[in-house]
Amino acid sequence: MSESAPNAADHGQVEASAGSRKDGTKRAGDPARTLLELLWRHSLPPRTGGRGPRQTVSVDDVVTAAIGLADREGYEKVSIRAVAAELGLRPMSLYTYVPSKEALTVLMVDAVAAAGAPLPTDVPARERLSAVARQIRDEYLAHPWLFEVPSWRMVLGPGRTRRYEQQLAAVDGIGLDDPGMDRVISVLTQFATGNARTALAAARSSREQSDADWWETYGPLLTEVMPAAEYPLSTRVGAAVGELYQAPGDPAGDFAYGLARLIEAILPG
Protein backbone atom coordinates (compact mmCIF):
# COMPACT_ATOMS: atom_id res chain seq x y z
CA MET A 1 0.00 0.00 0.00
CA SER A 2 1.43 3.42 -0.90
CA GLU A 3 1.96 5.95 1.85
CA SER A 4 -0.48 8.34 0.25
CA ALA A 5 -3.29 5.81 0.29
CA PRO A 6 -5.26 5.93 3.56
CA ASN A 7 -5.07 2.76 5.60
CA ALA A 8 -7.92 1.49 7.73
CA ALA A 9 -6.57 3.10 10.88
CA ASP A 10 -6.28 6.46 9.17
CA HIS A 11 -9.82 6.12 7.90
CA GLY A 12 -10.92 5.51 11.46
CA GLN A 13 -9.17 8.74 12.47
CA VAL A 14 -11.09 10.68 9.85
CA GLU A 15 -14.25 9.45 11.55
CA ALA A 16 -12.77 10.33 14.93
CA SER A 17 -11.85 13.88 13.93
CA ALA A 18 -15.32 14.35 12.50
CA GLY A 19 -16.77 13.41 15.87
CA SER A 20 -18.35 9.98 15.23
CA ARG A 21 -18.27 7.03 17.56
CA LYS A 22 -17.76 3.48 16.39
CA ASP A 23 -21.51 2.94 16.68
CA GLY A 24 -22.19 5.98 14.50
CA THR A 25 -23.39 8.33 17.26
CA LYS A 26 -21.86 11.76 17.61
CA ARG A 27 -19.34 12.61 20.29
CA ALA A 28 -18.79 16.30 19.66
CA GLY A 29 -17.05 18.01 22.55
CA ASP A 30 -14.75 15.05 23.26
CA PRO A 31 -11.39 16.43 22.03
CA ALA A 32 -9.34 14.30 24.42
CA ARG A 33 -10.67 11.07 22.93
CA THR A 34 -10.25 12.40 19.41
CA LEU A 35 -6.62 13.33 20.04
CA LEU A 36 -5.75 10.03 21.68
CA GLU A 37 -7.37 8.05 18.90
CA LEU A 38 -5.40 10.06 16.35
CA LEU A 39 -2.14 9.46 18.23
CA TRP A 40 -2.74 5.73 18.61
CA ARG A 41 -4.42 5.28 15.22
CA HIS A 42 -2.11 2.48 14.10
CA SER A 43 -2.78 0.49 17.28
CA LEU A 44 -6.56 0.70 17.13
CA PRO A 45 -8.68 -1.86 15.27
CA PRO A 46 -9.74 -0.75 11.79
CA ARG A 47 -13.13 0.84 11.38
CA THR A 48 -15.52 0.33 8.53
CA GLY A 49 -18.60 2.02 7.21
CA GLY A 50 -17.23 5.58 7.06
CA ARG A 51 -19.28 8.00 5.03
CA GLY A 52 -18.11 10.75 2.69
CA PRO A 53 -15.64 10.90 -0.19
CA ARG A 54 -12.56 8.72 -0.16
CA GLN A 55 -9.60 10.49 1.35
CA THR A 56 -6.72 11.30 -0.99
CA VAL A 57 -4.00 11.39 1.67
CA SER A 58 -3.49 9.88 5.11
CA VAL A 59 -3.10 11.35 8.58
CA ASP A 60 0.55 10.30 8.32
CA ASP A 61 0.88 12.42 5.18
CA VAL A 62 -0.60 15.42 6.97
CA VAL A 63 1.81 15.08 9.88
CA THR A 64 4.82 14.59 7.61
CA ALA A 65 3.90 17.68 5.59
CA ALA A 66 3.55 19.74 8.76
CA ILE A 67 6.94 18.61 10.07
CA GLY A 68 8.59 19.43 6.76
CA LEU A 69 7.02 22.89 6.77
CA ALA A 70 8.12 23.54 10.36
CA ASP A 71 11.67 22.36 9.59
CA ARG A 72 11.95 24.69 6.59
CA GLU A 73 10.10 27.78 7.74
CA GLY A 74 9.57 27.54 11.49
CA TYR A 75 6.66 26.58 13.69
CA GLU A 76 4.95 29.95 13.29
CA LYS A 77 4.38 29.15 9.60
CA VAL A 78 2.49 25.96 10.40
CA SER A 79 -1.25 26.40 10.02
CA ILE A 80 -4.12 24.32 8.77
CA ARG A 81 -4.21 26.43 5.61
CA ALA A 82 -0.44 26.15 5.00
CA VAL A 83 -0.34 22.39 5.55
CA ALA A 84 -3.32 21.92 3.26
CA ALA A 85 -1.49 23.88 0.58
CA GLU A 86 1.54 21.62 1.00
CA LEU A 87 -0.69 18.66 0.18
CA GLY A 88 -2.71 20.33 -2.54
CA LEU A 89 -5.89 20.25 -0.46
CA ARG A 90 -8.51 22.82 0.44
CA PRO A 91 -8.02 24.15 3.99
CA MET A 92 -11.40 22.96 5.27
CA SER A 93 -10.73 19.44 4.02
CA LEU A 94 -7.75 19.15 6.38
CA TYR A 95 -10.13 19.24 9.32
CA THR A 96 -11.33 15.80 8.27
CA TYR A 97 -7.85 14.57 9.27
CA VAL A 98 -6.96 16.70 12.30
CA PRO A 99 -9.32 18.89 14.34
CA SER A 100 -6.91 21.78 15.05
CA LYS A 101 -3.36 23.06 14.87
CA GLU A 102 -2.93 22.15 18.54
CA ALA A 103 -3.83 18.51 17.83
CA LEU A 104 -1.58 18.53 14.77
CA THR A 105 1.30 19.80 16.92
CA VAL A 106 0.94 16.87 19.32
CA LEU A 107 0.99 14.49 16.38
CA MET A 108 4.10 16.19 14.98
CA VAL A 109 6.01 15.90 18.26
CA ASP A 110 5.10 12.24 18.59
CA ALA A 111 6.11 11.52 14.99
CA VAL A 112 9.52 13.11 15.55
CA ALA A 113 10.04 10.92 18.60
CA ALA A 114 8.94 7.84 16.67
CA ALA A 115 11.49 8.56 13.95
CA GLY A 116 14.42 8.36 16.37
CA ALA A 117 16.76 5.40 16.08
CA PRO A 118 16.46 2.79 18.86
CA LEU A 119 18.75 3.41 21.82
CA PRO A 120 21.54 0.85 22.24
CA THR A 121 20.94 -1.88 24.81
CA ASP A 122 24.09 -4.02 24.56
CA VAL A 123 26.62 -1.41 25.67
CA PRO A 124 27.87 -0.31 29.12
CA ALA A 125 25.64 1.95 31.23
CA ARG A 126 27.83 4.99 30.59
CA GLU A 127 27.28 4.69 26.84
CA ARG A 128 23.56 4.08 27.28
CA LEU A 129 23.12 7.25 29.33
CA SER A 130 25.18 9.21 26.84
CA ALA A 131 22.97 7.95 24.01
CA VAL A 132 19.85 9.18 25.82
CA ALA A 133 21.19 12.73 26.04
CA ARG A 134 22.67 12.77 22.55
CA GLN A 135 19.42 11.59 20.99
CA ILE A 136 17.50 14.44 22.64
CA ARG A 137 20.10 17.03 21.63
CA ASP A 138 20.19 15.79 18.03
CA GLU A 139 16.40 15.90 17.86
CA TYR A 140 16.27 19.56 18.84
CA LEU A 141 19.10 20.47 16.48
CA ALA A 142 17.28 18.77 13.62
CA HIS A 143 13.88 20.26 14.52
CA PRO A 144 14.43 23.67 16.20
CA TRP A 145 10.68 24.37 16.18
CA LEU A 146 10.36 21.91 19.06
CA PHE A 147 11.52 24.74 21.33
CA GLU A 148 8.33 26.61 20.46
CA VAL A 149 6.07 23.74 21.50
CA PRO A 150 5.00 23.52 25.16
CA SER A 151 6.45 20.28 26.47
CA TRP A 152 4.73 20.14 29.85
CA ARG A 153 1.78 17.71 29.94
CA MET A 154 2.18 16.76 26.29
CA VAL A 155 -0.30 13.98 25.53
CA LEU A 156 1.52 10.69 25.12
CA GLY A 157 1.43 8.85 21.84
CA PRO A 158 3.25 5.69 20.76
CA GLY A 159 6.38 7.53 19.61
CA ARG A 160 7.07 9.31 22.88
CA THR A 161 5.94 6.33 24.94
CA ARG A 162 8.26 3.96 23.07
CA ARG A 163 11.15 6.37 23.47
CA TYR A 164 10.48 6.70 27.20
CA GLU A 165 10.45 2.91 27.47
CA GLN A 166 13.85 2.79 25.75
CA GLN A 167 15.21 5.54 27.98
CA LEU A 168 14.09 3.65 31.07
CA ALA A 169 15.76 0.51 29.73
CA ALA A 170 18.98 2.51 29.36
CA VAL A 171 18.81 3.50 33.04
CA ASP A 172 17.47 0.20 34.36
CA GLY A 173 19.92 -1.89 36.35
CA ILE A 174 22.22 0.88 37.62
CA GLY A 175 20.83 0.73 41.16
CA LEU A 176 18.09 3.38 41.14
CA ASP A 177 14.49 3.12 42.30
CA ASP A 178 11.70 3.96 39.86
CA PRO A 179 11.44 7.71 40.67
CA GLY A 180 15.24 7.90 40.50
CA MET A 181 15.24 6.37 37.02
CA ASP A 182 12.73 8.94 35.83
CA ARG A 183 14.71 11.76 37.43
CA VAL A 184 17.91 10.73 35.64
CA ILE A 185 16.09 10.85 32.30
CA SER A 186 14.69 14.29 33.18
CA VAL A 187 18.12 15.64 34.13
CA LEU A 188 19.76 14.31 30.97
CA THR A 189 16.90 15.68 28.85
CA GLN A 190 17.05 19.14 30.42
CA PHE A 191 20.83 19.31 30.04
CA ALA A 192 20.69 18.21 26.39
CA THR A 193 17.83 20.59 25.62
CA GLY A 194 19.58 23.58 27.16
CA ASN A 195 22.79 22.88 25.29
CA ALA A 196 20.93 22.43 22.01
CA ARG A 197 19.31 25.83 22.49
CA THR A 198 22.74 27.42 22.95
CA ALA A 199 24.17 25.57 19.94
CA LEU A 200 21.29 26.73 17.73
CA ALA A 201 21.70 30.33 18.91
CA ALA A 202 25.42 30.18 18.13
CA ALA A 203 24.77 28.76 14.67
CA ARG A 204 22.12 31.39 13.96
CA SER A 205 24.43 34.23 15.03
CA SER A 206 27.29 32.84 12.95
CA ARG A 207 25.10 32.83 9.85
CA GLU A 208 24.33 36.50 10.41
CA GLN A 209 27.93 37.49 11.21
CA SER A 210 31.03 35.37 11.81
CA ASP A 211 32.48 35.28 15.32
CA ALA A 212 35.75 36.68 13.96
CA ASP A 213 34.00 39.67 12.38
CA TRP A 214 31.93 40.28 15.51
CA TRP A 215 35.00 40.29 17.74
CA GLU A 216 36.89 42.52 15.34
CA THR A 217 34.14 45.10 15.83
CA TYR A 218 33.55 44.82 19.56
CA GLY A 219 36.87 43.56 20.94
CA PRO A 220 38.87 46.80 20.61
CA LEU A 221 35.93 48.88 21.87
CA LEU A 222 35.50 46.64 24.90
CA THR A 223 39.19 47.01 25.70
CA GLU A 224 38.73 50.77 25.70
CA VAL A 225 35.73 50.95 27.99
CA MET A 226 36.26 48.03 30.41
CA PRO A 227 38.80 48.60 33.20
CA ALA A 228 40.65 45.28 33.12
CA ALA A 229 42.05 45.75 36.63
CA GLU A 230 38.55 45.56 38.09
CA TYR A 231 37.78 42.29 36.29
CA PRO A 232 41.04 40.32 36.37
CA LEU A 233 39.48 36.87 36.15
CA SER A 234 37.05 37.84 33.40
CA THR A 235 39.87 39.40 31.41
CA ARG A 236 42.20 36.42 31.80
CA VAL A 237 39.67 33.63 31.27
CA GLY A 238 37.80 35.44 28.52
CA ALA A 239 41.03 35.95 26.60
CA ALA A 240 41.96 32.28 27.01
CA VAL A 241 38.54 31.12 25.81
CA GLY A 242 38.56 33.44 22.82
CA GLU A 243 42.02 32.28 21.83
CA LEU A 244 41.13 28.62 22.19
CA TYR A 245 37.74 28.60 20.44
CA GLN A 246 37.98 31.70 18.25
CA ALA A 247 34.42 32.25 19.43
CA PRO A 248 32.57 33.22 22.63
CA GLY A 249 32.24 29.56 23.55
CA ASP A 250 32.11 25.95 22.40
CA PRO A 251 28.60 24.45 22.79
CA ALA A 252 29.58 21.02 21.40
CA GLY A 253 32.59 20.82 23.69
CA ASP A 254 30.52 22.02 26.64
CA PHE A 255 28.01 19.26 25.94
CA ALA A 256 30.65 16.53 25.87
CA TYR A 257 32.32 17.83 29.02
CA GLY A 258 29.11 18.38 30.96
CA LEU A 259 27.59 15.06 29.92
CA ALA A 260 30.67 13.18 31.11
CA ARG A 261 30.51 14.94 34.50
CA LEU A 262 26.78 14.27 34.79
CA ILE A 263 27.15 10.58 34.06
CA GLU A 264 30.01 10.28 36.56
CA ALA A 265 27.71 11.76 39.21
CA ILE A 266 24.78 9.52 38.25
CA LEU A 267 26.56 6.18 38.13
CA PRO A 268 27.50 4.57 41.44
CA GLY A 269 31.22 4.59 42.20
Side-chain angles (χ1 to χ4, degrees):
M1 179 183 296
S2 68
E3 288 192 10
S4 62
N7 57 32
D10 277 341
H11 184 69
Q13 296 319 312
V14 172
E15 291 186 335
S17 63
S20 301
R21 291 188 187 274
K22 192 173 182 178
D23 59 8
T25 61
K26 296 292 182 182
R27 52 175 171 77
D30 196 359
R33 178 181 292 274
T34 296
L35 178 55
L36 282 169
E37 290 185 353
L38 279 168
L39 279 166
W40 294 90
R41 60 193 179 277
H42 296 299
S43 301
L44 296 173
R47 296 181 178 183
T48 58
R51 289 172 289 182
R54 177 174 175 80
Q55 304 299 310
T56 57
V57 299
S58 68
V59 174
D60 290 348
D61 294 327
V62 173
V63 175
T64 298
I67 291 172
L69 180 61
D71 288 346
R72 293 194 316 272
E73 302 185 29
Y75 179 68
E76 71 279 0
K77 297 296 185 180
V78 176
S79 66
I80 294 297
R81 178 178 296 275
V83 175
E86 290 280 304
L87 294 165
L89 302 174
R90 292 175 301 176
M92 290 305 296
S93 69
L94 207 70
Y95 287 107
T96 64
Y97 298 92
V98 292
S100 65
K101 178 180 176 178
E102 290 72 22
L104 177 58
T105 298
V106 176
L107 295 171
M108 292 164 64
V109 172
D110 198 69
V112 168
L119 291 170
T121 58
D122 56 348
V123 296
R126 185 178 302 275
E127 295 179 39
R128 299 199 306 269
L129 296 182
S130 178
V132 169
R134 292 184 183 280
Q135 183 184 65
I136 294 297
R137 183 177 188 268
D138 290 346
E139 186 174 284
Y140 276 92
L141 293 179
H143 307 285
W145 54 268
L146 288 170
F147 284 113
E148 302 177 57
V149 176
S151 59
W152 193 249
R153 296 200 306 187
M154 179 69 71
V155 181
L156 287 174
R160 296 182 74 240
T161 303
R162 186 176 300 111
R163 184 175 63 188
Y164 183 53
E165 182 75 16
Q166 293 177 0
Q167 291 171 335
L168 289 172
V171 179
D172 194 24
I174 66 173
L176 300 173
D177 59 14
D178 288 352
M181 291 167 62
D182 179 79
R183 195 172 296 281
V184 164
I185 294 170
S186 295
V187 168
L188 291 173
T189 297
Q190 291 166 28
F191 171 70
T193 301
N195 182 268
R197 187 185 295 274
T198 301
L200 286 168
R204 189 179 305 114
S205 295
S206 294
R207 289 194 297 269
E208 297 169 356
Q209 183 182 28
S210 72
D211 290 321
D213 288 344
W214 183 89
W215 187 248
E216 185 177 348
T217 299
Y218 287 96
L221 296 174
L222 184 61
T223 301
E224 291 179 20
V225 301
M226 187 181 80
E230 294 184 23
Y231 308 98
L233 290 176
S234 299
T235 301
R236 188 189 80 211
V237 174
V241 168
E243 179 67 23
L244 178 61
Y245 305 134
Q246 296 296 300
D250 176 27
D254 293 343
F255 178 75
Y257 177 87
L259 181 58
R261 301 290 83 76
L262 269 178
I263 293 175
E264 285 180 5
I266 291 168
L267 292 176

